[in-house]
Amino acid sequence: DAGITQSPRHKVTETGTPVTLRCHQTENHRYMYWYRQDPGHGLRLIHYSYGVKDTDKGEVSDGYSVSRSKTEDFLLTLESATSSQTSVYFCAISEGTGGSGNTIYFGEGSWLTVV
Amino acid sequence: DAKTTQPPSMDCAEGRAANLPCNHSTISGNEYVYWYRQIHSQGPQYIIHGLKNNETNEMASLIITEDRKSSTLILPHATLRDTAVYYCIVNRAGTSGTYKYIFGTGTRLKVLA
């Protein structure tokens, strides 16, 4: 299994509060990704990072921000959580860009409930 | 941007080959096709990927049509443990030469005893 640790694994929070999810990797991979998964929508890309301090938006980035101050950590922040952000969040990593046929590896997910 | 289309669900008898189709008619020349699967609510698991040629590994085979507009994932001898949601994805160009892995809704494969 790829060395990916997500924290927290489960969290319940109230609407309007800030929430930060952490993804930590031990593989020294350059690329890191945050996805959310909801019934009927499959996995949707929120943000991704292609290096320290280098990030780009995915399909559903509104309401989310990310930061990557060091190679091993990629943080996803919900500035003011809403009920629509109740979801399962997956972190993923890859060694290189997909243009070279690199594969991505996923963490075990973080279950977030916003009440 | 390349998108993928998969049937929402399929059944397969245990021990038989499972053939999962995927349409990616807008794929570009440098975009790879990847297959992942997800069992219950676990993180998606990599299966196989390819660009132009057919590929085989210990888990599955990937058949890509010559025009690259569609592909088929083959599980040669499906077992009950292969019951999962299977995703066909095509990576798409992002910023600064990077690529984004965009998932669809996948095919829910049920292997029947």
Side-chain angles (χ1 to χ4, degrees):
Chain A
D1 291 339
I4 305 170
T5 304
Q6 293 185 226
S7 60
R9 293 292 313 281
H10 297 86
K11 185 174 181 66
V12 180
T13 192
E14 293 185 349
T15 298
T17 60
V19 177
T20 295
L21 305 181
R22 178 182 183 236
C23 179
H24 178 79
Q25 60 144 330
T26 58
E27 306 296 325
N28 201 36
H29 284 357
R30 178 181 174 188
Y31 297 84
M32 300 185 75
Y33 312 80
W34 276 108
Y35 289 84
R36 61 177 289 176
Q37 185 170 36
D38 307 289
H41 289 280
L43 286 132
R44 292 182 290 176
L45 181 64
I46 305 172
H47 282 283
Y48 70 106
S49 169
Y50 49 97
V52 174
K53 299 189 187 302
D54 292 322
T55 64
D56 194 10
K57 295 180 179 180
E59 305 169 273
V60 290
S61 58
D62 289 347
Y64 300 94
S65 63
V66 290
S67 66
R68 189 156 177 217
S69 59
K70 46 186 178 179
T71 301
E72 58 266 35
D73 289 328
F74 192 32
L75 304 181
L76 176 70
T77 297
L78 291 65
E79 300 291 346
S80 178
T82 68
S83 59
S84 65
Q85 293 176 311
T86 293
S87 188
V88 182
Y89 292 86
F90 287 98
C91 174
I93 65 173
S94 67
E95 185 173 11
T97 177
S100 301
N102 294 112
T103 59
I104 57 173
Y105 301 95
F106 285 82
E108 290 305 306
S110 294
W111 275 253
L112 177 66
T113 302
V114 184
V115 297
Chain B
D1 288 345
K3 297 180 181 178
T4 60
T5 304
Q6 299 177 253
S9 65
M10 294 181 62
D11 291 340
C12 177
E14 187 178 21
R16 304 296 294 271
N19 296 278
L20 291 87
C22 179
N23 180 284
H24 33 79
S25 58
T26 59
I27 194 170
S28 298
N30 56 352
E31 293 174 337
Y32 283 74
V33 179
Y34 292 79
W35 284 84
Y36 283 76
R37 73 179 183 183
Q38 187 176 28
I39 299 173
H40 298 301
S41 297
Q42 298 176 16
Q45 176 191 22
Y46 167 77
I47 301 174
I48 198 167
H49 74 281
L51 182 62
K52 296 181 181 179
N53 300 319
N54 298 337
E55 302 288 344
T56 296
N57 63 21
E58 65 277 6
M59 291 183 66
S61 294
L62 173 61
I63 308 299
I64 303 174
T65 58
E66 190 170 347
D67 62 9
R68 302 210 326 122
K69 292 185 176 182
S70 65
S71 62
T72 301
L73 178 74
I74 300 173
L75 307 178
H77 306 286
T79 71
L80 297 178
R81 288 184 293 180
D82 292 322
T83 293
V85 177
Y86 288 77
Y87 295 98
C88 164
I89 66 172
V90 174
N91 55 344
R92 287 193 268 168
T95 312
S96 302
T98 65
Y99 283 77
K100 299 184 281 190
Y101 300 81
I102 304 298
F103 284 70
T105 54
T107 296
R108 186 172 298 276
L109 175 69
K110 185 174 183 180
V111 180
L112 306 173

